[in-house]
Amino acid sequence: FNSLSYLIFLVLNIVVYYLLPGRFRNLQLLAASYYFYMCWNPKYALLMLFSTAVTYFCSLFVQRSVWGKRRFWLVLSLLLNLAILFFFKYYNFASNVVTRALSFAGLQMDIPFLDVLLPVGISFYTFQALGYTIDVYRKDIEAEKSFIDYALFVSFFPQLVAGPIERSGNILHQLKEYHPFRFDNIKEGILPALWGLFKKVVVADNLAVIVNQVYNSPKEHTGAEFLVATAAFAFQIYCDFSGYSDMAIGIALLLGFHFNLNFNSPYKSASITEFWRRWHISLSSWLRDYLYISLGGNRKGKFRQYLNLIITMFLGGLWHGASWNFVLWGTFHGVALALHKMWMTITGRKKGEQSHGWRRVFGVVITFHFVC
């Protein structure tokens, strides 16, 4: 997003998009999205196409109850997509865990490691595609008949690489609409795009210099310097990621599409629950609606609610990366969410109730330091 080549690509696509008749626009954006992805690795575009085709046809079969087995097609879609995600993202991590476990038990087995490149954006477009299939299964939406429109929903270049993870109910209907050229869209889209670019290039990239200097040579720095670097990293990762989301939202608006907000001042949160309502909103809401609720949510008693929170965040941590630090990170957040829910129950506070005054200040400080 912060390269000259992308700026040229974007301007050309905006001009062509508004010059084309409405019936050709989605095809043009689809071609642009695949070109954008293929600039990184042309072969891996076939993976995205395969995932798109699987979820498209399985969702049609779910809606039409082909062979009377709606759940069969849902499970098939989930298994095929998650199998691809596992192969490219988690196979080596899993094989290392199994090898170490066998070695601990006194068994020697060499499980081969795979030298494969992790496809860019695979976690994002896989979750987006699976969310669509689940929506169709739950009858929240009807299956999309146009393969072009659905393929564009999965691959739309502004949010393809790092989100936000858009819902089918928000985007698919926009793909059916005609978006005339409006100066308001250009004006409203440029502002978040430039703000996101500023956060990424000016704030995040400069904070990275401080963070890397300290963490790359730990023996040369004091504890106080580590505290500063850790806080700097909190703002680096926020400005980097939210900057990308802001640019994605702004770029989509230049073309007439409205994405949902993905970050909402998360470091103002006075509790870990509030933090996850403000941080990477598209992911936290996806985990809530498709994983936490599917596990039973809060419908099966308090203990199951706490366990479901921990399981959801454990898997959310694993989604971020295939290593133990991400597993621990997700588990810590899951335990913190469960403890906060427990505290809310003990104190009799209602869901969404906000603290005020010194209690809120104290909560913000504690939450920020826990996140760090």
Side-chain angles (χ1 to χ4, degrees), residues 305-325:
Q305 180 187 15
Y306 304 148
L307 182 60
N308 291 340
L309 282 169
I310 294 171
I311 292 172
T312 298
M313 293 308 297
F314 165 83
L315 294 173
L318 198 58
W319 177 86
H320 279 80
S323 60
W324 282 112
N325 59 313

Side-chain angles (χ1 to χ4, degrees), residues 151-365:
L152 177 56
F153 160 71
V154 174
S155 64
F156 195 24
F157 69 84
Q159 45 80 238
L160 173 59
V161 175
I165 304 170
E166 280 297 331
R167 300 295 183 87
S168 49
N170 180 45
I171 296 298
L172 283 173
H173 74 89
Q174 294 189 54
L175 296 175
K176 304 292 183 186
E177 299 167 358
Y178 178 77
H179 301 282
F181 176 81
R182 295 176 62 240
F183 280 107
D184 285 346
N185 282 346
I186 303 299
K187 181 177 66 176
E188 293 170 12
I190 283 178
L191 290 176
L194 290 178
W195 175 236
L197 187 65
F198 174 84
K199 286 199 288 187
K200 159 64 181 166
V201 175
V202 177
V203 182
D205 288 355
N206 282 292
L207 286 175
V209 175
I210 300 171
V211 174
N212 294 338
Q213 182 180 358
V214 173
Y215 276 96
N216 287 345
S217 52
K219 293 182 180 180
E220 299 175 12
H221 297 280
T222 65
E225 289 171 322
F226 267 97
L227 286 174
V228 172
T230 301
F233 179 67
F235 286 99
Q236 176 200 338
I237 195 172
Y238 166 68
C239 289
D240 197 300
F241 198 2
S242 70
Y244 186 101
S245 292
D246 289 343
M247 284 187 275
I249 291 168
I251 289 164
L253 191 54
L254 294 175
L255 294 163
F257 295 90
H258 294 264
F259 286 173
N260 290 316
L261 185 68
N262 205 26
F263 289 86
N264 183 21
S265 302
Y267 294 146
K268 292 181 181 178
S269 304
S271 70
I272 197 64
T273 301
E274 184 183 352
F275 175 80
W276 278 104
R277 293 196 188 110
R278 292 170 173 265
W279 177 275
H280 201 351
I281 299 167
S282 64
L283 173 65
S284 58
S285 61
W286 196 101
L287 292 171
R288 179 197 65 208
D289 295 343
Y290 298 118
L291 188 54
Y292 174 71
I293 290 176
S294 297
L295 289 170
N298 59 0
R299 303 188 304 275
K300 297 185 179 181
K302 291 296 182 183
F303 176 77
R304 274 293 301 274
Q305 180 187 15
Y306 304 148
L307 182 60
N308 291 340
L309 282 169
I310 294 171
I311 292 172
T312 298
M313 293 308 297
F314 165 83
L315 294 173
L318 198 58
W319 177 86
H320 279 80
S323 60
W324 282 112
N325 59 313
F326 284 113
V327 171
L328 290 171
W329 173 81
T331 304
F332 288 154
H333 275 270
V335 171
L337 286 167
L339 289 174
H340 182 250
K341 293 289 184 187
M342 196 181 300
W343 175 252
M344 294 284 283
T345 300
I346 292 170
T347 58
R349 294 180 63 188
K350 297 178 182 178
K351 179 181 177 181
E353 185 179 341
Q354 297 285 338
S355 55
H356 300 283
W358 68 267
R359 287 193 175 139
R360 180 158 187 86
V361 173
F362 180 74
V364 169
V365 172

Side-chain angles (χ1 to χ4, degrees), residues 51 55 74 77-79 81-82 85 125-135 150 286 290:
S51 177
T55 49
L74 171 66
S77 176
L78 293 173
L79 286 178
N81 280 277
L82 292 176
L85 188 61
Y125 71 69
T126 299
F127 267 34
Q128 189 154 306
L130 290 181
Y132 162 78
T133 305
I134 297 170
D135 285 343
Y150 176 69
W286 196 101
Y290 298 118

